[in-house]
Amino acid sequence: MATMEIQGALEHFVGDFERLEPRLLGARAEWLRALRREALASFRRQGLPDRRREDWRFTHVGPIEATRFNAPEPAAIDEAVVGELGRLSYPDLGAHRLVFVDGIFAPGLSAVEGLPAGAELMTLGEAIERHGEEVSRHLGRHAEWQVHPFVALNTAWLGDGAFLRLAEGVVLERPLHIIHLARRSEVPTAIHPRTLVLAGRAAQATIIESFGGVEGAVYLHNAVTEMVVEEDAHLDHIKLQLESQAAFHMQTLQASQGRSSNLRTHAFTLGAAVSRCDINIVLGGEGIETTLNGLYMLGGEQHADTHSRLDHAQPHCHSSEHYKGILDGRASGVFTGRILVRQDAQKTDAYQKNEALLLSEAATINTQPQLEIFADDVKCSHGATVGQLDAESTFYLRSRGIGRDEARAMLTYAFARQIVEQVRPEPVRVELDRLIGEKFSTRQTLETL
């Protein structure tokens, strides 16, 4: 429920807005200053979400509220950051790469050469200077800061990020990799990256967003990505969240799809103490294909929340959503997936499934697949399963000389493999295999599968 005051230590951070506004991105653009102030006022009205809000009922943001965040100060890039970059990079991918450290563009770590004609890739700050009118038509016009407090906070404190524009028919042969890194500083920092993607008619691209930080660093990555996918365009979006275990991660992905477009998203949640991912997609034309895949792997006392909303606004569209969770220790997870089929969206075909594997008695999951259908000629289904490792399968492997821990690791990986296998390109898929292996210390075991 909204409150009239900002709770806890974030009041200190928001209270610094007047002093720090001249330093913020695009401070000379009047339209952006007005947008910032409207969003800040909205955040003040909403406050941080608490468990009285239905969509935050199972996620407690008290640890964020209790942390005194500061705006990051520019600093030299140290070896720890370079090492973290190596952990998040794909050396065989050959991607165009934009790297941000504490929300500040790092040109020495980036590589944006070789773009085809009709493709523009730059920082959001540069785009505001060069294409202010076009950016103003889309930035903050899709993600709903009026009702989502963390989107409002991002919009008020909007930091640098990526801007990609693809003209009609442009195909980006090499993926675009956007990497957000956080240093370890003396005080907790709040970083608000923003990404804006404008894919023209029949354009094609693969976009990877990676989030990480030096282990032990306490920070908040509060990111928003807005995508406009026009008619016949095809986008693949891959997100890897590998934050410091002491960090907090909030991200909203907002996409608007045009007629006969195709959007595939893959989200992998491995890090952060508390994280949440909101995915909101509007299927705004006929013949659209939308695919949402995701895997969250949690241990210790980690908490991860995924909320998705697929808005079928037009007929003859197809959506498929499949999320899997693996939880160990005292970890907790949330999955809420809503499919809305509007009255005019006849011939909709929508599928949704969430599966969770609990590796300990103390791990918990709250899963809520939802259908809201106002059309009468549709094919929609949803389901959820929660369970533990199959005892018979474990016994089968152990009877062939495989140790208990190795058997559990093999079965756990097999459970995750269905999601990982759908990722392309191959170097990203191979790297995800490696990360999952390291997560459960099963690298040698995985080679036998």
Side-chain angles (χ1 to χ4, degrees):
M1 181 177 294
T3 62
M4 295 301 295
E5 299 294 335
I6 305 301
Q7 304 102 311
L10 273 181
E11 184 173 3
H12 146 77
F13 183 64
V14 174
D16 255 357
F17 181 83
E18 297 290 344
R19 180 175 66 86
L20 296 175
E21 185 185 17
R23 287 173 39 186
L24 298 179
L25 188 71
R28 293 180 297 177
E30 289 298 327
W31 65 268
L32 184 52
R33 293 185 63 189
L35 176 63
R36 286 188 190 280
R37 291 182 173 272
E38 290 176 8
L40 184 68
S42 177
F43 180 67
R44 288 187 180 277
R45 288 193 300 269
Q46 296 181 67
L48 285 175
D50 58 34
R51 289 178 173 176
R52 290 174 293 179
R53 283 184 55 154
E54 178 61 27
D55 56 341
W56 289 86
R57 186 155 59 101
F58 299 112
T59 296
H60 178 46
V61 299
I64 298 176
E65 177 187 344
T67 304
R68 188 181 177 89
F69 291 105
N70 293 267
E73 296 290 340
I77 296 171
D78 54 24
E79 292 183 4
V81 170
V82 175
E84 187 63 23
L85 176 61
R87 194 166 72 112
L88 293 175
S89 299
Y90 308 102
D92 298 328
L93 191 59
H96 309 283
R97 188 170 75 184
L98 291 178
V99 179
F100 300 86
V101 178
D102 286 349
I104 301 170
F105 178 54
L109 302 178
S110 303
V112 296
E113 301 81 8
L115 286 167
E120 290 188 272
L121 172 63
M122 63 192 73
T123 68
L124 188 57
E126 186 180 358
I128 291 170
E129 293 290 333
R130 294 174 53 184
H131 306 295
E133 183 177 346
E134 183 175 24
V135 174
S136 70
R137 291 201 303 268
H138 294 285
L139 190 68
R141 312 305 177 189
H142 303 281
E144 298 178 325
W145 51 265
Q146 299 89 342
V147 294
H148 295 291
F150 281 101
V151 177
L153 185 62
N154 173 283
T155 304
W157 283 89
L158 188 144
D160 209 350
F163 173 80
L164 173 65
R165 180 173 63 179
L166 301 175
E168 179 176 345
V170 171
V171 177
L172 207 58
E173 298 287 353
R174 293 156 54 191
L176 163 64
H177 194 185
I178 306 165
I179 303 176
H180 296 283
L181 300 171
R183 295 182 302 109
R184 185 166 186 169
S185 58
E186 294 182 0
V187 295
T189 55
I191 306 160
H192 305 280
R194 194 78 172 222
T195 297
L196 178 60
V197 176
L198 307 177
R201 183 179 182 276
Q204 297 182 36
T206 295
I207 301 167
I208 306 166
E209 291 188 281
S210 296
F211 298 86
V214 176
E215 191 52 51
V218 180
Y219 58 90
L220 166 66
H221 259 146
N222 176 36
V224 174
T225 297
E226 293 178 296
M227 293 184 175
V228 178
V229 189
E230 295 188 8
E231 181 179 350
D232 289 320
H234 285 61
L235 285 187
D236 269 45
H237 178 260
I238 303 164
K239 176 196 171 184
L240 174 61
Q241 189 268 92
L242 199 61
E243 306 278 25
S244 157
Q245 294 294 311
F248 308 102
H249 178 91
M250 302 284 149
Q251 192 212 19
T252 295
L253 169 63
Q254 183 78 43
S256 175
Q257 289 188 249
R259 180 185 179 94
S260 300
S261 63
N262 190 315
L263 174 62
R264 289 165 40 93
T265 75
H266 312 268
F268 295 88
T269 299
L270 305 179
V274 177
S275 66
R276 171 154 167 152
C277 181
D278 283 82
I279 305 170
N280 306 306
I281 300 177
V282 179
L283 289 75
E286 295 189 26
I288 290 172
E289 294 277 342
T290 306
T291 302
L292 275 64
N293 293 321
L295 176 68
Y296 46 99
M297 302 176 63
L298 312 173
E301 296 191 1
Q302 285 181 280
H303 176 85
D305 184 341
T306 298
H307 266 64
S308 67
R309 184 177 186 269
L310 287 167
D311 184 350
H312 283 261
Q314 296 293 330
H316 300 284
C317 294
H318 174 262
S319 68
S320 175
E321 181 174 11
H322 193 185
Y323 267 71
K324 288 192 173 189
I326 301 171
L327 300 94
D328 205 350
R330 299 179 60 83
S332 56
V334 179
F335 174 84
T336 300
R338 182 186 177 200
I339 297 175
L340 170 62
V341 182
R342 299 187 182 272
Q343 186 173 359
D344 293 335
Q346 305 293 344
K347 302 296 184 181
T348 289
D349 184 356
Y351 166 82
Q352 179 190 96
K353 188 174 185 180
N354 176 229
E355 300 174 274
L357 181 61
L358 304 182
L359 301 181
S360 75
E361 295 292 337
T364 60
I365 180 72
N366 289 283
T367 180
Q368 295 179 303
Q370 301 171 356
L371 291 175
E372 190 173 354
I373 301 173
F374 297 97
D376 53 19
D377 186 6
V378 301
K379 181 181 178 182
C380 298
S381 64
H382 70 319
T385 61
V386 178
Q388 298 178 326
L389 288 173
D390 182 68
E392 291 186 7
S393 298
T394 304
F395 176 78
Y396 174 83
L397 292 174
R398 296 196 66 188
S399 68
R400 278 149 179 78
I402 297 175
R404 177 180 177 275
D405 291 343
E406 289 179 330
R408 286 167 56 87
M410 291 177 69
L411 293 172
T412 301
Y413 178 76
F415 177 80
R417 196 175 198 179
Q418 184 178 2
I419 302 298
V420 177
E421 282 185 334
Q422 297 187 58
V423 173
R424 48 181 193 240
E426 184 178 359
V428 180
R429 186 170 61 251
V430 170
E431 179 66 10
L432 287 168
D433 269 345
R434 185 187 67 80
L435 289 172
I436 292 171
E438 288 184 351
K439 184 86 172 173
F440 289 94
S441 300
T442 59
R443 293 184 68 180
Q444 292 181 349
T445 304
L446 301 185
E447 294 173 0
T448 68
L449 290 176

